[in-house]
Amino acid sequence: MNSTDQNTALVLSGGGAKGAFQAGALEVLKEAGYSFDAISGVSVGALNGVMLATDQFNELLDIWQEITPNKVLRKTSLLTLARQYLLYKIGFGSPPVSRYNNEPLQHLMHHYLKDKTVKLPFHFGYVKLESGEYVKATIRRTDGHTIDQDDLKRILASTAIPVYFNPAHIGDFTAVDGGLRNISPIKEVLPYRPDRIIIIPTEPVNKDPGTTKVRDILEIAFRSIDIMLNEIFHEDIDRFLVANRLVKQAETQGLTLKKSDGSPYHYIEPIIIAPEEPLGDALDFDNQRIRKLMEKGRNRTHQILESRIA
């Protein structure tokens, strides 16, 4: 449990390299005595979340502190992409499917996660590209279950931002980043009836995504995805906060709001640890920048925890 003996759920949003902010925030939460009873995450939040669910907090910090771009991705030149596409159009080879190759990330995941025992319920998700269906994925804490190759493939799928990274192939469908449909997977932890939910986004809450210059077709595609994900993120957070506020208002009036099955809603204390300003490029894994993002996560968490005491 945690320092106040409350049932606590953790929700980690997506954001690529900006997941370093989450790592810094989690470090301060651990120092303050917080622990978690259920975890959900998507994209980089799924990677951070599964490290916590397998009781590898120190290893998680080590990964972020030592990360470099070549440990996560390999960039493909525009010339190579154009050549591959032209060859495909005349009947040779396969078409290009992404700007970056995520094989280094696959190796990193295999090294840290393969055969590790799951200690906490862990929820994540990915999207079937053919149908657009959001797939809720779970690795539950069961006696003897360890992370296997199928689990790794599903987690990798949750990180596969379209155009950026290679999609994952699961069965007979193509899977991509779950953040396209559910960038802050809050609903997944509600069945655990938490007293509070700690949500750590990688974007400011209720602020626009900032301005970015775009010059070519790939930058336009990437920027469009960023704008879409930012909108989904705000909707996810807003829905939760509005519903939670209505439940609390009803409780103060002596009323109980009920679900369709007749069970009561209950107020959940929200703790949102979000950056105050945009954190920049999701694919910039420069080590000095990553360490600065971790420090921002630590500073912001200290600020929020201190404001709760005041």
Side-chain angles (χ1 to χ4, degrees), residues 5-198:
D5 200 35
Q6 287 183 294
N7 187 312
T8 303
L10 174 68
V11 177
L12 299 169
S13 302
K18 293 177 283 188
F21 175 90
Q22 295 176 340
L26 290 166
E27 185 176 9
V28 173
L29 289 172
K30 183 176 178 63
E31 291 169 353
Y34 288 82
S35 62
F36 310 107
D37 300 277
I39 300 171
S40 70
V42 71
S43 196
V44 71
L47 295 176
N48 286 338
V50 73
M51 290 294 291
L52 295 179
T54 53
D55 195 23
Q56 297 189 86
F57 175 77
N58 292 331
E59 290 84 350
L60 173 64
L61 294 184
D62 288 342
I63 289 172
W64 282 109
Q65 288 166 351
E66 302 303 324
I67 204 75
T68 57
N70 62 357
K71 291 182 179 180
V72 181
L73 51 82
R74 287 200 303 267
K75 188 175 183 178
T76 306
S77 71
L78 291 176
L79 180 61
T80 299
L81 289 174
R83 183 167 53 245
Q84 186 179 354
Y85 181 75
L86 288 173
L87 288 172
Y88 164 71
K89 293 302 288 184
I90 61 176
F92 296 97
S94 302
V97 294
S98 65
R99 180 70 192 276
Y100 301 90
N101 186 307
N102 56 6
E103 285 184 7
L105 176 59
Q106 295 181 49
H107 293 312
L108 194 68
M109 289 173 57
H110 188 276
H111 174 76
Y112 281 98
L113 295 172
K114 184 69 166 63
D115 298 326
K116 298 297 183 184
T117 301
V118 178
K119 304 293 182 65
L120 292 172
F122 171 60
H123 297 260
F124 59 106
Y126 52 86
V127 172
K128 291 183 178 180
L129 194 57
E130 291 85 356
S131 66
E133 174 190 357
Y134 179 77
V135 179
K136 294 181 180 180
T138 305
I139 302 177
R140 296 188 181 278
R141 179 181 56 185
T142 56
D143 293 338
H145 179 73
T146 58
I147 300 288
D148 58 28
Q149 200 61 43
D150 287 339
D151 293 328
L152 289 175
K153 185 179 290 187
R154 293 187 300 149
I155 296 168
L156 182 68
S158 185
T159 72
I161 305 172
V163 184
Y164 286 87
F165 285 139
N166 317 46
H169 298 283
I170 300 176
D172 59 355
F173 60 86
T174 306
V176 294
D177 193 335
L180 293 177
R181 294 286 305 273
N182 189 17
I183 200 167
S184 291
I186 299 169
K187 289 187 293 185
E188 282 74 1
V189 299
L190 296 181
Y192 296 94
R193 296 185 61 81
D195 300 303
R196 64 184 172 200
I197 295 179
I198 298 177

